[in-house]
Amino acid sequence: QLNPEILSITPQNKARFNTPISQIIVVVKDNSGSGVDFDRSSITVTGPGVSTDDYQSDNGTDTLFWNLANSLATDHSDDGEYVVTVK
C-alpha cells in the first residue's frame, strides 16, 4: 500500500499574512489508486493560536482542513512556531 503524498500546505512555512487565517489546508495526492481514506487520515496543528475548539474536516477528495475556532490574528499576537502533523 502506498501512502498519500502531501502536495501542499497553506499557509506555507514561514508565511507572513495580512489577513486573518481561519484554516490550515493540506492537499494530498492518492498514491494507492483507491482514494484517500479520510476516515483514517488526520491533521493536527499545535502553536500559540491553536484552540481546543479547532477541528478537522475534508473535501472528500484530496484536501484536509484544520479549521481554527479563532482566526490567527494579524497583529502579531499569534506569532510563533506552528507544527502541522498529517497522518
Side-chain angles (χ1 to χ4, degrees):
Q1 174 182 341
L2 298 172
N3 291 326
E5 175 184 345
I6 296 174
L7 296 179
S8 67
I9 298 177
T10 306
Q12 294 179 340
N13 190 30
K14 301 199 186 278
R16 297 181 185 271
F17 48 90
N18 295 319
T19 58
I21 300 295
S22 61
Q23 284 185 322
I24 308 299
I25 303 166
V26 178
V27 178
V28 297
K29 175 184 176 190
D30 171 41
N31 289 320
S32 70
S34 61
V36 177
D37 185 349
F38 286 106
D39 290 333
R40 295 182 56 201
S41 301
S42 68
I43 177 175
T44 56
V45 179
T46 57
V50 175
S51 160
T52 57
D53 293 328
D54 297 349
Y55 63 95
Q56 172 184 318
S57 63
D58 63 75
N59 71 354
T61 306
D62 64 355
T63 306
L64 289 163
F65 303 97
W66 184 257
N67 301 282
L68 298 159
N70 300 302
S71 296
L72 298 180
T74 58
D75 66 359
H76 304 290
S77 61
D78 290 328
D79 283 5
E81 182 175 352
Y82 289 81
V83 177
V84 177
T85 305
V86 181
K87 294 182 182 180

Short mmCIF file of all heavy atoms in Angstrom, two decimals, residues 1-52:
data_model
loop_
_atom_site.label_atom_id
_atom_site.label_comp_id
_atom_site.label_asym_id
_atom_site.label_seq_id
_atom_site.Cartn_x
_atom_site.Cartn_y
_atom_site.Cartn_z
N GLN A 1 0.85 -1.19 0.00
CA GLN A 1 0.00 0.00 0.00
C GLN A 1 0.88 1.24 0.00
O GLN A 1 1.81 1.36 0.79
CB GLN A 1 -0.92 -0.01 1.22
CG GLN A 1 -1.71 1.26 1.34
CD GLN A 1 -2.59 1.25 2.58
OE1 GLN A 1 -2.88 0.21 3.16
NE2 GLN A 1 -3.01 2.40 3.01
N LEU A 2 0.60 2.15 -0.88
CA LEU A 2 1.36 3.39 -0.97
C LEU A 2 0.64 4.48 -0.20
O LEU A 2 -0.57 4.66 -0.34
CB LEU A 2 1.52 3.80 -2.43
CG LEU A 2 2.29 2.82 -3.31
CD1 LEU A 2 2.20 3.24 -4.76
CD2 LEU A 2 3.74 2.74 -2.86
N ASN A 3 1.39 5.21 0.62
CA ASN A 3 0.81 6.29 1.41
C ASN A 3 0.56 7.51 0.54
O ASN A 3 1.28 7.75 -0.43
CB ASN A 3 1.75 6.66 2.55
CG ASN A 3 1.83 5.57 3.59
OD1 ASN A 3 0.86 4.89 3.86
ND2 ASN A 3 3.00 5.40 4.18
N PRO A 4 -0.44 8.31 0.92
CA PRO A 4 -0.66 9.57 0.19
C PRO A 4 0.55 10.49 0.34
O PRO A 4 1.30 10.40 1.30
CB PRO A 4 -1.89 10.18 0.87
CG PRO A 4 -2.54 9.04 1.58
CD PRO A 4 -1.44 8.09 1.95
N GLU A 5 0.72 11.36 -0.61
CA GLU A 5 1.82 12.32 -0.62
C GLU A 5 1.26 13.72 -0.38
O GLU A 5 0.23 14.08 -0.94
CB GLU A 5 2.47 12.25 -2.00
CG GLU A 5 3.54 13.23 -2.28
CD GLU A 5 4.03 13.10 -3.72
OE1 GLU A 5 3.73 12.11 -4.39
OE2 GLU A 5 4.70 14.05 -4.16
N ILE A 6 1.91 14.49 0.46
CA ILE A 6 1.49 15.87 0.70
C ILE A 6 1.98 16.73 -0.46
O ILE A 6 3.17 16.80 -0.73
CB ILE A 6 2.03 16.41 2.03
CG1 ILE A 6 1.43 15.61 3.19
CG2 ILE A 6 1.72 17.90 2.18
CD1 ILE A 6 2.01 15.96 4.54
N LEU A 7 1.04 17.36 -1.17
CA LEU A 7 1.38 18.23 -2.29
C LEU A 7 1.61 19.66 -1.84
O LEU A 7 2.47 20.35 -2.38
CB LEU A 7 0.29 18.18 -3.36
CG LEU A 7 0.09 16.83 -4.04
CD1 LEU A 7 -1.04 16.92 -5.06
CD2 LEU A 7 1.37 16.34 -4.70
N SER A 8 0.80 20.12 -0.87
CA SER A 8 0.97 21.49 -0.39
C SER A 8 0.32 21.67 0.97
O SER A 8 -0.61 20.95 1.33
CB SER A 8 0.37 22.49 -1.38
OG SER A 8 -1.04 22.34 -1.44
N ILE A 9 0.86 22.64 1.70
CA ILE A 9 0.27 23.08 2.97
C ILE A 9 0.16 24.60 2.88
O ILE A 9 1.11 25.28 2.52
CB ILE A 9 1.13 22.69 4.18
CG1 ILE A 9 1.25 21.16 4.28
CG2 ILE A 9 0.55 23.27 5.47
CD1 ILE A 9 2.15 20.68 5.41
N THR A 10 -1.03 25.10 3.18
CA THR A 10 -1.29 26.55 3.14
C THR A 10 -1.79 26.99 4.49
O THR A 10 -2.71 26.37 5.02
CB THR A 10 -2.34 26.88 2.06
OG1 THR A 10 -1.89 26.33 0.81
CG2 THR A 10 -2.54 28.37 1.92
N PRO A 11 -1.23 28.04 5.09
CA PRO A 11 -0.14 28.87 4.61
C PRO A 11 1.18 28.10 4.63
O PRO A 11 1.35 27.16 5.40
CB PRO A 11 -0.11 30.06 5.55
CG PRO A 11 -0.86 29.65 6.76
CD PRO A 11 -1.75 28.54 6.37
N GLN A 12 2.09 28.52 3.78
CA GLN A 12 3.38 27.86 3.65
C GLN A 12 4.27 28.15 4.86
O GLN A 12 4.02 29.08 5.62
CB GLN A 12 4.09 28.35 2.38
CG GLN A 12 3.39 27.94 1.12
CD GLN A 12 4.10 28.45 -0.12
OE1 GLN A 12 4.88 29.38 -0.05
NE2 GLN A 12 3.83 27.82 -1.24
N ASN A 13 5.33 27.36 4.97
CA ASN A 13 6.31 27.52 6.05
C ASN A 13 6.86 28.95 6.06
O ASN A 13 7.19 29.50 5.02
CB ASN A 13 7.44 26.51 5.84
CG ASN A 13 8.38 26.44 7.02
OD1 ASN A 13 7.98 26.67 8.15
ND2 ASN A 13 9.61 26.12 6.75
N LYS A 14 6.92 29.54 7.24
CA LYS A 14 7.43 30.89 7.47
C LYS A 14 6.60 31.97 6.77
O LYS A 14 7.09 33.06 6.49
CB LYS A 14 8.89 30.99 7.06
CG LYS A 14 9.77 30.01 7.82
CD LYS A 14 11.21 30.39 7.77
CE LYS A 14 12.07 29.34 8.39
NZ LYS A 14 12.20 29.35 9.79
N ALA A 15 5.34 31.67 6.50
CA ALA A 15 4.46 32.63 5.82
C ALA A 15 4.15 33.82 6.71
O ALA A 15 4.01 33.70 7.92
CB ALA A 15 3.17 31.95 5.40
N ARG A 16 4.03 34.96 6.08
CA ARG A 16 3.54 36.18 6.74
C ARG A 16 2.25 36.54 6.03
O ARG A 16 2.14 36.38 4.82
CB ARG A 16 4.56 37.31 6.60
CG ARG A 16 5.86 37.00 7.29
CD ARG A 16 6.84 38.15 7.15
NE ARG A 16 8.13 37.81 7.70
CZ ARG A 16 8.49 37.99 8.95
NH1 ARG A 16 7.64 38.52 9.80
NH2 ARG A 16 9.69 37.65 9.36
N PHE A 17 1.28 37.02 6.79
CA PHE A 17 -0.01 37.31 6.18
C PHE A 17 -0.60 38.59 6.74
O PHE A 17 -0.30 38.98 7.85
CB PHE A 17 -0.98 36.14 6.34
CG PHE A 17 -1.04 35.59 7.75
CD1 PHE A 17 -1.94 36.08 8.66
CD2 PHE A 17 -0.17 34.58 8.15
CE1 PHE A 17 -2.00 35.59 9.94
CE2 PHE A 17 -0.23 34.08 9.45
CZ PHE A 17 -1.14 34.58 10.33
N ASN A 18 -1.42 39.23 5.91
CA ASN A 18 -2.05 40.50 6.29
C ASN A 18 -3.55 40.36 6.52
O ASN A 18 -4.20 41.33 6.87
CB ASN A 18 -1.79 41.56 5.21
CG ASN A 18 -0.32 41.89 5.10
OD1 ASN A 18 0.36 42.01 6.11
ND2 ASN A 18 0.17 42.03 3.89
N THR A 19 -4.08 39.19 6.27
CA THR A 19 -5.50 38.93 6.53
C THR A 19 -5.58 37.76 7.50
O THR A 19 -4.70 36.89 7.50
CB THR A 19 -6.26 38.58 5.23
OG1 THR A 19 -5.65 37.44 4.63
CG2 THR A 19 -6.26 39.75 4.26
N PRO A 20 -6.59 37.72 8.34
CA PRO A 20 -6.71 36.63 9.32
C PRO A 20 -6.77 35.26 8.63
O PRO A 20 -7.39 35.11 7.58
CB PRO A 20 -8.02 36.93 10.05
CG PRO A 20 -8.23 38.40 9.85
CD PRO A 20 -7.67 38.70 8.49
N ILE A 21 -6.13 34.28 9.21
CA ILE A 21 -6.12 32.91 8.70
C ILE A 21 -7.11 32.09 9.53
O ILE A 21 -7.01 32.06 10.75
CB ILE A 21 -4.70 32.30 8.81
CG1 ILE A 21 -3.70 33.10 8.00
CG2 ILE A 21 -4.71 30.83 8.40
CD1 ILE A 21 -3.90 33.10 6.53
N SER A 22 -8.06 31.44 8.86
CA SER A 22 -9.05 30.65 9.58
C SER A 22 -8.91 29.15 9.33
O SER A 22 -9.57 28.36 9.98
CB SER A 22 -10.46 31.09 9.20
OG SER A 22 -10.67 30.90 7.81
N GLN A 23 -8.05 28.77 8.36
CA GLN A 23 -7.86 27.34 8.06
C GLN A 23 -6.41 27.07 7.69
O GLN A 23 -5.74 27.91 7.09
CB GLN A 23 -8.69 26.91 6.84
CG GLN A 23 -10.14 26.72 7.08
CD GLN A 23 -10.81 26.18 5.82
OE1 GLN A 23 -10.47 26.55 4.71
NE2 GLN A 23 -11.77 25.30 6.01
N ILE A 24 -5.97 25.87 8.04
CA ILE A 24 -4.73 25.32 7.52
C ILE A 24 -5.20 24.27 6.50
O ILE A 24 -6.04 23.43 6.82
CB ILE A 24 -3.88 24.64 8.62
CG1 ILE A 24 -3.66 25.58 9.81
CG2 ILE A 24 -2.58 24.12 8.04
CD1 ILE A 24 -2.93 26.86 9.50
N ILE A 25 -4.67 24.35 5.29
CA ILE A 25 -5.15 23.49 4.20
C ILE A 25 -4.02 22.59 3.74
O ILE A 25 -2.93 23.06 3.43
CB ILE A 25 -5.65 24.35 3.03
CG1 ILE A 25 -6.74 25.31 3.51
CG2 ILE A 25 -6.14 23.47 1.88
CD1 ILE A 25 -7.07 26.42 2.53
N VAL A 26 -4.29 21.28 3.71
CA VAL A 26 -3.31 20.30 3.26
C VAL A 26 -3.89 19.54 2.07
O VAL A 26 -4.92 18.87 2.20
CB VAL A 26 -2.94 19.30 4.38
CG1 VAL A 26 -1.95 18.27 3.88
CG2 VAL A 26 -2.38 20.04 5.59
N VAL A 27 -3.25 19.67 0.91
CA VAL A 27 -3.67 18.95 -0.29
C VAL A 27 -2.80 17.71 -0.42
O VAL A 27 -1.57 17.79 -0.32
CB VAL A 27 -3.55 19.84 -1.56
CG1 VAL A 27 -3.95 19.06 -2.80
CG2 VAL A 27 -4.40 21.09 -1.41
N VAL A 28 -3.43 16.57 -0.61
CA VAL A 28 -2.71 15.30 -0.71
C VAL A 28 -2.97 14.62 -2.05
O VAL A 28 -3.99 14.86 -2.70
CB VAL A 28 -3.10 14.34 0.45
CG1 VAL A 28 -2.70 14.90 1.78
CG2 VAL A 28 -4.58 14.03 0.43
N LYS A 29 -2.02 13.80 -2.45
CA LYS A 29 -2.14 13.02 -3.68
C LYS A 29 -2.28 11.57 -3.28
O LYS A 29 -1.48 11.04 -2.51
CB LYS A 29 -0.90 13.21 -4.54
CG LYS A 29 -0.90 12.35 -5.78
CD LYS A 29 0.39 12.52 -6.56
CE LYS A 29 0.42 11.58 -7.74
NZ LYS A 29 1.75 11.54 -8.37
N ASP A 30 -3.30 10.91 -3.81
CA ASP A 30 -3.52 9.49 -3.55
C ASP A 30 -2.54 8.68 -4.41
O ASP A 30 -2.53 8.80 -5.62
CB ASP A 30 -4.95 9.11 -3.89
CG ASP A 30 -5.18 7.62 -3.85
OD1 ASP A 30 -4.65 6.97 -2.93
OD2 ASP A 30 -5.87 7.09 -4.75
N ASN A 31 -1.71 7.88 -3.77
CA ASN A 31 -0.76 7.04 -4.50
C ASN A 31 -1.17 5.58 -4.54
O ASN A 31 -0.47 4.76 -5.10
CB ASN A 31 0.64 7.16 -3.88
CG ASN A 31 1.26 8.51 -4.16
OD1 ASN A 31 1.13 9.04 -5.24
ND2 ASN A 31 1.94 9.07 -3.18
N SER A 32 -2.33 5.26 -3.94
CA SER A 32 -2.76 3.87 -3.87
C SER A 32 -3.70 3.48 -5.00
O SER A 32 -3.88 2.30 -5.30
CB SER A 32 -3.47 3.60 -2.54
OG SER A 32 -4.73 4.26 -2.52
N GLY A 33 -4.34 4.47 -5.60
CA GLY A 33 -5.32 4.17 -6.66
C GLY A 33 -6.72 3.93 -6.13
O GLY A 33 -7.66 3.80 -6.89
N SER A 34 -6.87 3.89 -4.79
CA SER A 34 -8.19 3.63 -4.21
C SER A 34 -8.80 4.85 -3.55
O SER A 34 -9.87 4.76 -2.98
CB SER A 34 -8.10 2.48 -3.21
OG SER A 34 -7.23 2.83 -2.16
N GLY A 35 -8.13 5.97 -3.61
CA GLY A 35 -8.63 7.19 -2.98
C GLY A 35 -8.08 7.37 -1.58
O GLY A 35 -7.69 6.40 -0.92
N VAL A 36 -8.04 8.61 -1.12
CA VAL A 36 -7.56 8.91 0.22
C VAL A 36 -8.59 8.44 1.23
O VAL A 36 -9.78 8.71 1.09
CB VAL A 36 -7.30 10.43 0.37
CG1 VAL A 36 -6.88 10.77 1.79
CG2 VAL A 36 -6.27 10.90 -0.64
N ASP A 37 -8.16 7.72 2.25
CA ASP A 37 -9.05 7.25 3.30
C ASP A 37 -9.14 8.32 4.38
O ASP A 37 -8.33 8.36 5.31
CB ASP A 37 -8.51 5.94 3.88
CG ASP A 37 -9.45 5.32 4.90
OD1 ASP A 37 -10.43 5.99 5.32
OD2 ASP A 37 -9.21 4.17 5.30
N PHE A 38 -10.13 9.20 4.25
CA PHE A 38 -10.26 10.31 5.18
C PHE A 38 -10.70 9.85 6.57
O PHE A 38 -10.49 10.57 7.54
CB PHE A 38 -11.21 11.37 4.62
CG PHE A 38 -10.59 12.18 3.51
CD1 PHE A 38 -10.97 11.98 2.20
CD2 PHE A 38 -9.61 13.12 3.78
CE1 PHE A 38 -10.39 12.71 1.18
CE2 PHE A 38 -9.01 13.85 2.77
CZ PHE A 38 -9.41 13.64 1.47
N ASP A 39 -11.30 8.67 6.68
CA ASP A 39 -11.66 8.15 8.00
C ASP A 39 -10.42 7.79 8.80
O ASP A 39 -10.45 7.77 10.03
CB ASP A 39 -12.57 6.92 7.86
CG ASP A 39 -13.95 7.28 7.35
OD1 ASP A 39 -14.38 8.43 7.56
OD2 ASP A 39 -14.58 6.41 6.71
N ARG A 40 -9.32 7.49 8.12
CA ARG A 40 -8.08 7.12 8.81
C ARG A 40 -7.02 8.21 8.71
O ARG A 40 -5.90 8.02 9.13
CB ARG A 40 -7.54 5.82 8.22
CG ARG A 40 -8.48 4.64 8.50
CD ARG A 40 -7.95 3.34 7.97
NE ARG A 40 -6.63 3.08 8.52
CZ ARG A 40 -5.76 2.26 7.96
NH1 ARG A 40 -6.06 1.62 6.86
NH2 ARG A 40 -4.58 2.07 8.51
N SER A 41 -7.38 9.34 8.12
CA SER A 41 -6.45 10.46 7.97
C SER A 41 -6.69 11.48 9.07
O SER A 41 -7.83 11.68 9.50
CB SER A 41 -6.65 11.13 6.61
OG SER A 41 -6.44 10.22 5.57
N SER A 42 -5.62 12.12 9.48
CA SER A 42 -5.79 13.17 10.49
C SER A 42 -4.79 14.28 10.26
O SER A 42 -3.71 14.07 9.73
CB SER A 42 -5.64 12.61 11.91
OG SER A 42 -4.30 12.22 12.13
N ILE A 43 -5.19 15.46 10.68
CA ILE A 43 -4.32 16.63 10.68
C ILE A 43 -4.47 17.27 12.05
O ILE A 43 -5.58 17.37 12.58
CB ILE A 43 -4.69 17.62 9.55
CG1 ILE A 43 -3.81 18.88 9.62
CG2 ILE A 43 -6.15 17.97 9.56
CD1 ILE A 43 -4.04 19.85 8.48
N THR A 44 -3.35 17.63 12.63
CA THR A 44 -3.37 18.39 13.88
C THR A 44 -2.38 19.54 13.74
O THR A 44 -1.41 19.45 13.01
CB THR A 44 -3.00 17.53 15.11
OG1 THR A 44 -1.72 16.94 14.89
CG2 THR A 44 -4.03 16.46 15.38
N VAL A 45 -2.69 20.60 14.44
CA VAL A 45 -1.84 21.78 14.42
C VAL A 45 -1.60 22.18 15.86
O VAL A 45 -2.53 22.24 16.67
CB VAL A 45 -2.50 22.94 13.63
CG1 VAL A 45 -1.61 24.17 13.65
CG2 VAL A 45 -2.80 22.51 12.20
N THR A 46 -0.34 22.45 16.19
CA THR A 46 -0.01 22.97 17.52
C THR A 46 0.70 24.31 17.35
O THR A 46 1.39 24.53 16.36
CB THR A 46 0.90 22.00 18.30
OG1 THR A 46 2.08 21.75 17.54
CG2 THR A 46 0.18 20.68 18.57
N GLY A 47 0.49 25.19 18.28
CA GLY A 47 1.11 26.51 18.24
C GLY A 47 0.34 27.48 19.11
O GLY A 47 -0.72 27.15 19.66
N PRO A 48 0.82 28.72 19.22
CA PRO A 48 0.25 29.70 20.14
C PRO A 48 -1.20 30.10 19.86
O PRO A 48 -1.92 30.45 20.77
CB PRO A 48 1.18 30.90 20.05
CG PRO A 48 2.08 30.66 18.90
CD PRO A 48 2.01 29.22 18.55
N GLY A 49 -1.66 30.06 18.61
CA GLY A 49 -3.02 30.50 18.30
C GLY A 49 -4.02 29.37 18.17
O GLY A 49 -5.14 29.58 17.74
N VAL A 50 -3.63 28.17 18.58
CA VAL A 50 -4.48 26.99 18.42
C VAL A 50 -5.36 26.82 19.65
O VAL A 50 -4.96 27.09 20.77
CB VAL A 50 -3.60 25.74 18.19
CG1 VAL A 50 -4.42 24.48 18.14
CG2 VAL A 50 -2.80 25.90 16.91
N SER A 51 -6.59 26.37 19.42
CA SER A 51 -7.59 26.22 20.48
C SER A 51 -8.11 24.79 20.51
O SER A 51 -8.08 24.09 19.51
CB SER A 51 -8.75 27.19 20.20
OG SER A 51 -9.91 26.82 20.88
N THR A 52 -8.63 24.36 21.66
CA THR A 52 -9.26 23.04 21.75
C THR A 52 -10.56 23.00 20.96
O THR A 52 -11.10 21.92 20.73
CB THR A 52 -9.54 22.65 23.21
OG1 THR A 52 -10.35 23.66 23.81
CG2 THR A 52 -8.24 22.49 23.98
#
